[in-house]
Amino acid sequence: MSRVYVCNCFGVTEAQVKKHAADGACTPRQIASACKAGTDCGSCVRRIQALLGRGACPRRELVDQGEPAVALAPEAGLPEAA
């Protein structure tokens, strides 16, 4: 099985990004929180965006309808607003 690396800085594979997306990560920032991908040189952020794609996240439709993302995905571990 070949590994397609998305983030060379942290050795994150395409399969790992897809798994985090399946677990509820809908944005590159949420992927970064899950595995650090995109937090060093940043060259992989566009690839992560492409992997997430439009409609790839089951919660995205609700976000597009104006629901707050944090309320939909509290497990994402986003910081509280100050």
Side-chain angles (χ1 to χ4, degrees):
M1 178 172 121
S2 69
R3 293 185 181 189
V4 177
Y5 287 94
V6 173
C7 176
N8 290 320
C9 295
F10 293 104
V12 179
T13 65
E14 188 173 292
Q16 288 172 299
V17 171
K18 288 179 180 180
K19 182 186 180 322
H20 291 305
D23 290 342
C26 299
T27 66
R29 184 170 286 170
Q30 290 173 340
I31 294 291
S33 293
C35 63
K36 294 188 178 182
T39 61
D40 193 24
C41 78
S43 67
C44 60
V45 174
R46 287 186 186 242
R47 177 72 180 133
I48 292 168
Q49 288 172 326
L51 286 171
L52 293 174
R54 183 95 176 134
C57 177
R59 295 182 182 98
R60 178 151 328 261
E61 288 178 16
L62 294 173
V63 172
D64 289 343
Q65 293 170 9
E67 296 292 328
V70 175
L72 297 171
E75 71 279 1
L78 300 175
E80 293 292 321

